[in-house]
Amino acid sequence: MSLQRNKIHPHKYSLWIAMGSITMMFIGFTSAYVVKRAQANWFTFQLPFIFWISTAVILTSSATIQMAVEQFRNRNMQRYKQLITLTAILGVAFAACQWIGFKQMTDMGLPLNGPASVSFIYVIVSVHLLHVLGGVVALLIMFGRAFRTRVRTYSAVPIEVAATYWHFVDGLWIYLLIFLSIAR
């Protein structure tokens, strides 16, 4: 008799390692922000409201991707296709909101090369946005696979990995927005 051990799928394991690395990077960013903020010439300003709207967008997308995972597991492929499409659209909408937020900051006289506090916002939000765009690419791959006419496998691992990453960038954004709102 062989004992079967519960093992984590290699893709899921790799994702957890990557998320740990990303988390450490953002801890470094926020730590540097706190240290720099202690200097006498720190400039405070109000974040554009669009960043809060983008939060609602990414929270909604987290719900839609979780529903997509459930629909995939239940083999309801038509509903899965709708939800993965909606999630990808919401991911792009989140990115557009971030871009609008940057435009609004520039319009407020807060350019990238402005005070350190402003530059930190651009860098932190931009690096997060790059990670979100990586997630959008994964969503677009899931989208493409969903609409293939020939299905090779019904493994839920790819959508589970994409959903875990998506929830991660969602949670990371919430942390960053709260941090940047409080630590001004």
Side-chain angles (χ1 to χ4, degrees):
M1 236 201 246
S2 81
L3 295 173
Q4 186 179 25
R5 289 189 262 172
N6 289 334
K7 293 183 180 181
I8 187 168
H9 191 280
H11 294 153
K12 291 180 180 182
Y13 180 76
S14 298
L15 175 65
W16 282 100
I17 296 298
M19 291 186 314
S21 298
I22 294 166
T23 299
M24 293 305 294
M25 178 179 56
F26 280 99
I27 287 171
F29 283 154
T30 54
S31 296
Y33 186 95
V34 169
V35 169
K36 189 74 173 166
R37 184 186 66 190
Q39 295 181 348
N41 61 347
W42 191 254
F43 177 75
T44 61
F45 62 96
Q46 190 71 29
L47 290 173
F49 186 71
I50 191 78
F51 287 140
W52 292 96
I53 293 170
S54 70
T55 304
V57 171
I58 202 166
L59 283 171
T60 303
S61 72
S62 239
T64 60
I65 198 166
Q66 192 57 45
M67 289 186 285
V69 169
E70 292 305 315
Q71 294 305 312
F72 186 92
R73 286 181 186 148
N74 294 332
R75 302 290 189 260
N76 185 350
M77 299 313 284
Q78 187 58 35
R79 186 72 177 128
Y80 166 74
K81 290 175 185 179
Q82 293 168 346
L83 288 164
I84 202 69
T85 302
L86 180 56
T87 304
I89 291 168
L90 289 168
V92 171
F94 175 83
C97 287
Q98 300 295 350
W99 189 258
I100 292 167
F102 290 152
K103 173 79 170 93
Q104 288 176 351
M105 286 176 61
T106 302
D107 292 347
M108 293 168 27
L110 303 169
L112 172 61
N113 62 351
S117 58
V118 176
S119 297
F120 264 107
I121 301 297
Y122 278 103
V123 169
I124 291 170
V125 173
S126 294
V127 172
H128 177 264
L129 183 56
L130 286 174
H131 286 88
V132 168
L133 292 175
V136 169
V137 168
L139 290 172
L140 292 174
I141 291 169
M142 295 292 102
F143 174 83
R145 287 180 178 176
F147 285 91
R148 283 193 307 214
T149 54
R150 185 171 163 238
V151 177
R152 291 185 210 133
T153 180
Y154 277 103
S155 171
V157 171
I159 186 61
E160 289 170 352
V161 168
T164 300
Y165 181 76
W166 199 252
H167 293 315
F168 170 73
V169 294
D170 182 350
L172 181 58
W173 173 248
I174 292 168
Y175 160 73
L176 291 172
L177 185 62
I178 291 169
F179 174 82
L180 294 172
S181 296
I182 292 172
R184 289 184 290 119

